[in-house]
Coordinates of all heavy atoms in Angstrom, one line a residue:
Y100 N -5.2 -6.6 -2.7 CA -4.9 -7.8 -1.9 C -4.8 -7.6 -0.5 O -5.6 -8.2 0.3 CB -3.6 -8.5 -2.5 CG -3.2 -9.6 -1.7 CD1 -3.9 -11.0 -1.8 CD2 -2.2 -9.6 -0.6 CE1 -3.6 -12.0 -1.0 CE2 -1.9 -10.7 0.2 CZ -2.5 -11.8 0.0 OH -2.2 -12.9 0.7
L101 N -4.1 -6.5 -0.1 CA -4.1 -6.2 1.3 C -5.4 -5.8 1.9 O -5.6 -6.2 3.0 CB -2.9 -5.1 1.5 CG -1.6 -5.5 1.2 CD1 -0.7 -4.2 1.1 CD2 -1.0 -6.5 2.1
K102 N -6.1 -5.1 1.2 CA -7.4 -4.5 1.6 C -8.3 -5.7 1.9 O -8.9 -5.8 2.9 CB -8.0 -3.6 0.6 CG -9.3 -3.1 0.8 CD -9.8 -2.3 -0.3 CE -11.3 -2.2 -0.1 NZ -11.9 -1.4 -1.3
N103 N -8.4 -6.8 1.0 CA -9.2 -7.8 1.2 C -8.8 -8.8 2.2 O -9.6 -9.2 3.1 CB -9.4 -8.6 -0.2 CG -10.2 -7.8 -1.2 OD1 -11.0 -6.9 -0.9 ND2 -9.8 -8.0 -2.5
K104 N -7.4 -9.1 2.3 CA -6.9 -10.0 3.2 C -7.1 -9.4 4.7 O -7.4 -10.3 5.5 CB -5.4 -10.2 3.0 CG -4.7 -11.0 4.0 CD -4.1 -12.2 3.4 CE -3.2 -13.0 4.4 NZ -3.7 -14.1 4.8
L105 N -6.9 -8.2 4.9 CA -7.0 -7.5 6.2 C -8.5 -7.1 6.6 O -8.7 -6.7 7.7 CB -6.0 -6.5 6.4 CG -4.6 -6.9 6.1 CD1 -3.6 -5.7 6.2 CD2 -4.1 -7.9 7.2
G106 N -9.3 -7.0 5.5 CA -10.7 -6.5 5.7 C -10.7 -5.1 6.1 O -11.4 -4.6 7.0
L107 N -9.9 -4.3 5.5 CA -9.8 -2.8 5.8 C -10.4 -2.0 4.7 O -10.5 -2.4 3.5 CB -8.3 -2.3 5.9 CG -7.6 -3.0 7.0 CD1 -6.1 -2.6 7.0 CD2 -8.2 -2.6 8.4
S108 N -10.9 -0.8 5.0 CA -11.3 0.1 4.0 C -10.2 0.7 3.3 O -9.0 0.6 3.9 CB -12.1 1.2 4.6 OG -11.4 2.1 5.4
D109 N -10.4 1.4 2.2 CA -9.3 2.1 1.5 C -8.6 3.1 2.4 O -7.3 3.1 2.4 CB -9.8 2.8 0.2 CG -10.1 1.9 -0.9 OD1 -9.9 0.7 -0.7 OD2 -10.7 2.5 -1.9
S110 N -9.4 3.9 3.1 CA -8.8 4.9 3.9 C -8.0 4.3 5.1 O -6.9 4.8 5.4 CB -9.8 5.9 4.4 OG -10.9 5.2 5.1
A111 N -8.5 3.3 5.6 CA -7.8 2.6 6.8 C -6.6 2.0 6.4 O -5.4 2.2 7.1 CB -8.7 1.6 7.5
L112 N -6.5 1.4 5.3 CA -5.3 0.8 4.8 C -4.3 1.8 4.3 O -3.1 1.8 4.7 CB -5.6 -0.2 3.6 CG -4.3 -0.8 3.0 CD1 -3.5 -1.6 4.0 CD2 -4.7 -1.8 1.8
S113 N -4.8 2.9 3.7 CA -3.9 4.0 3.3 C -3.2 4.6 4.5 O -1.9 4.9 4.5 CB -4.6 5.0 2.5 OG -5.0 4.6 1.3
K114 N -4.0 4.8 5.6 CA -3.5 5.4 6.8 C -2.4 4.5 7.4 O -1.3 5.0 7.9 CB -4.6 5.6 7.8 CG -4.1 6.3 9.1 CD -5.3 6.4 10.1 CE -4.7 7.0 11.4 NZ -5.8 7.2 12.4
Q115 N -2.6 3.2 7.6 CA -1.7 2.3 8.1 C -0.4 2.2 7.3 O 0.7 2.2 7.8 CB -2.2 0.9 8.3 CG -3.5 0.9 9.2 CD -3.2 1.5 10.6 OE1 -2.1 1.3 11.1 NE2 -4.3 2.1 11.1
L116 N -0.5 2.1 5.9 CA 0.6 2.1 5.1 C 1.4 3.5 5.2 O 2.7 3.4 5.3 CB 0.2 2.0 3.6 CG -0.3 0.5 3.3 CD1 -0.8 0.5 1.8 CD2 0.9 -0.5 3.3
S117 N 0.7 4.5 5.4 CA 1.4 5.9 5.5 C 2.2 5.9 6.8 O 3.4 6.3 6.9 CB 0.4 7.0 5.5 OG -0.1 7.2 4.1
T118 N 1.6 5.4 7.9 CA 2.4 5.4 9.1 C 3.5 4.6 9.1 O 4.7 4.9 9.6 CB 1.3 4.9 10.2 OG1 0.2 5.7 10.4 CG2 2.0 4.8 11.6
L119 N 3.4 3.3 8.4 CA 4.6 2.5 8.4 C 5.7 3.0 7.4 O 6.9 2.9 7.6 CB 4.1 1.0 7.9 CG 3.3 0.3 9.0 CD1 2.6 -0.9 8.3 CD2 4.2 -0.1 10.2
E120 N 5.2 3.7 6.4 CA 6.1 4.4 5.4 C 6.9 5.5 6.1 O 8.1 5.6 5.9 CB 5.3 4.8 4.2 CG 6.2 5.2 3.0 CD 5.5 5.3 1.7 OE1 4.3 5.7 1.7 OE2 6.2 5.1 0.7
D121 N 6.1 6.3 6.9 CA 6.8 7.4 7.7 C 7.8 6.9 8.6 O 8.8 7.6 8.8 CB 5.8 8.2 8.3 CG 4.9 9.1 7.4 OD1 5.2 9.2 6.3 OD2 3.8 9.6 7.9
G122 N 7.6 5.7 9.1 CA 8.5 5.1 10.1 C 9.7 4.4 9.4 O 10.5 3.9 10.0
G123 N 9.7 4.2 8.1 CA 10.7 3.6 7.3 C 10.6 2.2 7.2 O 11.5 1.5 6.7
Y124 N 9.5 1.7 7.5 CA 9.3 0.2 7.6 C 8.6 -0.3 6.3 O 8.7 -1.6 6.0 CB 8.4 -0.2 8.8 CG 9.0 0.0 10.0 CD1 8.3 -0.4 11.2 CD2 10.3 0.3 10.3 CE1 8.8 -0.2 12.5 CE2 10.9 0.4 11.5 CZ 10.1 0.1 12.5 OH 10.6 0.2 13.9
V125 N 8.0 0.5 5.5 CA 7.3 0.1 4.4 C 7.5 1.0 3.2 O 7.8 2.3 3.3 CB 5.8 0.1 4.5 CG1 5.0 -0.1 3.2 CG2 5.4 -1.0 5.4
E126 N 7.7 0.5 2.0 CA 7.9 1.3 0.8 C 6.6 1.0 -0.1 O 6.2 -0.1 -0.2 CB 9.1 0.9 0.1 CG 9.4 1.6 -1.3 CD 10.5 1.0 -2.1 OE1 11.4 0.4 -1.5 OE2 10.6 1.2 -3.3
T127 N 6.0 2.1 -0.6 CA 5.0 1.9 -1.6 C 5.4 2.5 -2.9 O 6.2 3.3 -3.1 CB 3.6 2.8 -1.1 OG1 4.0 4.1 -1.0 CG2 3.2 2.2 0.2
E128 N 4.7 2.0 -3.9 CA 5.0 2.3 -5.3 C 3.6 2.4 -6.0 O 2.7 1.6 -5.9 CB 5.7 1.1 -6.0 CG 5.9 1.5 -7.5 CD 6.7 0.2 -8.1 OE1 7.9 0.2 -8.0 OE2 6.1 -0.7 -8.6
R129 N 3.4 3.6 -6.6 CA 2.3 3.9 -7.3 C 2.5 3.8 -8.9 O 3.5 4.5 -9.2 CB 1.7 5.3 -7.0 CG 1.1 5.3 -5.6 CD 1.1 6.7 -5.1 NE 0.7 6.8 -3.7 CZ 1.3 6.4 -2.5 NH1 2.6 5.9 -2.7 NH2 0.8 6.4 -1.4
R130 N 1.7 3.0 -9.6 CA 2.1 2.8 -11.1 C 0.7 2.9 -11.8 O -0.4 2.5 -11.2 CB 2.9 1.6 -11.3 CG 2.2 0.3 -10.8 CD 3.2 -0.9 -10.8 NE 2.7 -2.0 -10.1 CZ 1.8 -2.8 -10.6 NH1 1.5 -2.8 -11.8 NH2 1.4 -3.8 -9.9
L131 N 0.8 3.2 -13.1 CA -0.3 3.3 -14.0 C -0.4 1.9 -14.6 O 0.5 1.4 -15.3 CB -0.1 4.4 -14.9 CG -1.3 4.8 -15.8 CD1 -2.5 5.4 -14.9 CD2 -1.0 5.9 -16.7
D132 N -1.6 1.3 -14.5 CA -2.0 0.1 -15.1 C -3.2 0.2 -16.1 O -4.3 0.2 -15.6 CB -2.3 -1.0 -14.2 CG -2.5 -2.3 -14.7 OD1 -2.1 -2.6 -15.9 OD2 -3.0 -3.2 -14.0
G133 N -2.9 0.6 -17.3 CA -4.0 1.0 -18.2 C -4.3 2.3 -17.8 O -3.6 3.4 -17.7
A134 N -5.6 2.5 -17.6 CA -6.2 3.9 -17.1 C -6.2 4.0 -15.6 O -6.7 5.0 -15.1 CB -7.6 4.0 -17.7
R135 N -5.9 2.9 -14.9 CA -6.0 2.9 -13.4 C -4.7 3.0 -12.7 O -3.6 2.4 -13.2 CB -6.7 1.6 -13.0 CG -7.9 1.4 -13.7 CD -8.8 0.1 -13.2 NE -9.2 0.5 -11.9 CZ -9.8 -0.5 -11.1 NH1 -9.8 -1.7 -11.5 NH2 -10.3 -0.2 -9.9
H136 N -4.7 3.7 -11.7 CA -3.5 3.8 -10.9 C -3.5 2.6 -9.8 O -4.6 2.4 -9.2 CB -3.5 5.2 -10.0 CG -3.0 6.2 -10.9 ND1 -1.7 6.5 -11.1 CD2 -3.8 7.1 -11.5 CE1 -1.7 7.6 -11.9 NE2 -2.9 8.0 -12.2
K137 N -2.4 1.9 -9.6 CA -2.4 0.8 -8.6 C -1.3 1.2 -7.7 O -0.2 1.6 -8.0 CB -2.1 -0.4 -9.4 CG -3.3 -0.9 -10.2 CD -3.1 -2.4 -10.5 CE -4.6 -2.9 -11.0 NZ -4.6 -4.4 -11.2
V138 N -1.5 0.7 -6.5 CA -0.5 0.9 -5.4 C -0.1 -0.5 -5.0 O -1.0 -1.4 -4.9 CB -1.1 1.6 -4.3 CG1 -0.1 1.7 -3.0 CG2 -1.6 3.0 -4.7
R139 N 1.2 -0.6 -4.7 CA 1.7 -1.9 -4.1 C 2.7 -1.5 -3.0 O 3.1 -0.3 -3.0 CB 2.2 -2.8 -5.1 CG 3.5 -2.3 -5.8 CD 3.9 -3.4 -6.8 NE 5.3 -3.0 -7.4 CZ 6.1 -3.8 -7.9 NH1 5.7 -5.1 -8.1 NH2 7.3 -3.4 -8.3
A140 N 2.9 -2.4 -2.1 CA 3.8 -2.2 -0.9 C 4.7 -3.4 -0.7 O 4.4 -4.4 -1.0 CB 2.9 -1.8 0.3
K141 N 5.8 -3.0 0.0 CA 6.8 -3.9 0.5 C 7.4 -3.5 1.7 O 7.5 -2.3 2.0 CB 7.8 -4.4 -0.6 CG 8.9 -3.3 -0.8 CD 9.9 -3.9 -1.8 CE 11.0 -2.8 -2.0 NZ 12.1 -3.4 -2.7
L142 N 7.9 -4.5 2.4 CA 8.7 -4.1 3.7 C 10.1 -3.6 3.1 O 10.6 -4.2 2.3 CB 8.9 -5.4 4.6 CG 7.8 -5.7 5.5 CD1 8.2 -6.9 6.4 CD2 7.2 -4.6 6.3
T143 N 10.6 -2.7 3.9 CA 12.0 -2.2 3.7 C 12.9 -3.2 4.5 O 12.4 -3.9 5.4 CB 12.2 -0.9 4.2 OG1 11.9 -0.8 5.5 CG2 11.3 0.2 3.4
P144 N 14.1 -3.3 4.4 CA 15.0 -3.9 5.2 C 14.9 -3.6 6.7 O 14.9 -4.5 7.6 CB 16.4 -3.6 4.7 CG 16.3 -3.5 3.2 CD 14.9 -2.7 3.2

């Protein structure tokens, strides 16, 4: 959803999420959905 909404590539979105996660602003969660890994994100307090 984030990739499509923001018009970013996988790598560009991953980089931005990592930067925000390193700063303590975002939390990501990787989970298995069937045979596929899915990533989701949320803002931290």
Side-chain angles (χ1 to χ4, degrees):
Y100 171 78
L101 294 169
K102 178 183 162 184
N103 291 333
K104 173 116 174 118
L105 301 172
L107 297 174
S108 66
D109 287 355
S110 62
L112 179 55
S113 291
K114 180 180 177 181
Q115 299 306 325
L116 286 171
S117 291
T118 298
L119 291 166
E120 193 167 27
D121 290 347
Y124 289 178
V125 167
E126 176 184 339
T127 58
E128 178 181 273
R129 288 154 182 80
R130 56 194 170 83
L131 193 58
D132 184 17
R135 303 182 77 188
H136 286 278
K137 290 203 171 187
V138 175
R139 63 184 191 157
K141 73 173 184 174
L142 282 183
T143 63

